[in-house]
Amino acid sequence: MTVAGGRLRVGVLVSGRGSNLQALLDACARPGYPAEVVVVISDRERAAALDRARAAGVEALVVSPKDFADREAFDLALVRELTARRVGLVCSAGFMRILSSAFTRAFSGRAMNIHPSLLPAFPGLHAQRQALEHGAKVAGATVHFQDEAVDTGPIILQASVPVHPDDTEDTLSARILVEEHRLYPEAVRLFAEGRLSVAGRRVFVKGDR
Ligand code: GRF
């Protein structure tokens, strides 16, 4: 883990709106928070998340898949940019690309993702819509370590919310998002404090009963 000046150096991967990025930036601005976002990388030039990074005085980069021959070359470019900035933890936050083993090998045990469902239910796209269509009574959010597959890595934290009979995809997403914004900074804090250990699929939190 790379900790400079006592704070974990975090890189955030984004593609869009960046509300989870904002939650991380806000957490990092709080006194005593043990991590700092040192770079935000987007695969899309127009991602609103890039503006959020710049507004917080954080370096914002675009790495476009168009500039690379294949997925592996793109992933290796991400690894290069993150490594050059001595990033100790990578957080995908609404990053709409599947990372290959070229990436996950380089950041094994040091990459997280957030997903708007109670995994392993409803992985992949439109998780909230999947929950509604399935008739789930409880939905939620998951922060997990990232592996080569989609939304499958060991689960770090989860939070549940009720599904109401009159919910739409938008109302359910908004309820889940509140929990996402709480969970992600908490997971990063636990990692930065060295309190997470992984045994097989299980993540243990030191200090938790
Ligand atoms: C969030 O719901 C996150 O769980 C999912 O994509 C969405 C990104 O939202 N992976 P934002 O860009 O963080 O606002």
Side-chain angles (χ1 to χ4, degrees):
M1 179 190 325
T2 308
V3 181
R7 297 180 92 196
L8 172 74
R9 296 174 65 83
V10 177
V12 185
L13 304 180
V14 297
S15 297
R17 147 185 88 168
S19 71
N20 278 290
L21 166 67
Q22 191 65 56
L24 292 171
L25 291 169
D26 292 348
C28 289
R30 280 181 221 125
Y33 190 78
E36 61 176 325
V37 178
V38 295
V39 66
V40 172
I41 304 180
S42 173
D43 61 330
R44 298 182 189 172
E45 266 168 44
R46 311 183 88 122
L50 292 167
D51 299 325
R52 295 183 190 262
R54 291 186 196 108
V58 171
E59 185 184 12
L61 284 184
V62 176
V63 178
S64 172
K66 292 189 300 239
D67 298 334
F68 299 90
D70 54 29
R71 193 152 77 98
E72 181 143 326
F74 170 76
D75 284 4
L76 288 173
L78 292 181
V79 171
R80 265 198 310 279
E81 299 294 356
L82 293 161
T83 307
R85 287 158 185 84
R86 292 176 291 115
V87 160
L89 174 70
V90 184
C91 293
S92 292
F95 185 59
M96 300 305 288
R97 302 186 63 81
I98 297 170
L99 291 164
S100 66
S101 55
F103 183 92
T104 49
R105 258 200 311 271
F107 282 98
S108 172
R110 299 187 299 138
M112 292 181 183
N113 181 43
I114 187 154
H115 184 72
S117 81
L118 291 174
L119 290 171
F122 315 128
L125 293 174
H126 308 300
Q128 304 92 332
R129 191 189 305 167
Q130 292 185 58
L132 283 175
E133 285 173 355
H134 197 83
K137 302 292 187 198
V138 176
T142 303
V143 179
H144 62 92
F145 282 115
Q146 194 137 26
D147 60 16
E148 293 87 289
V150 179
D151 303 328
T152 55
I155 291 168
I156 302 166
L157 293 175
Q158 291 188 304
S160 62
V161 301
V163 179
H164 297 159
D166 58 351
D167 264 335
T168 62
E169 198 175 338
D170 283 350
T171 58
L172 180 58
S173 299
R175 194 173 309 120
I176 293 171
L177 207 54
V178 173
E179 298 304 320
E180 292 189 42
H181 295 165
R182 190 175 62 75
L183 284 187
Y184 220 171
E186 176 64 6
V188 171
R189 187 174 67 77
L190 291 171
F191 182 91
E193 290 174 350
R195 291 173 59 193
L196 299 179
S197 61
V198 185
R201 284 214 48 87
R202 299 182 72 187
V203 178
F204 294 94
V205 180
K206 231 178 269 159
D208 247 18
R209 297 244 189 117

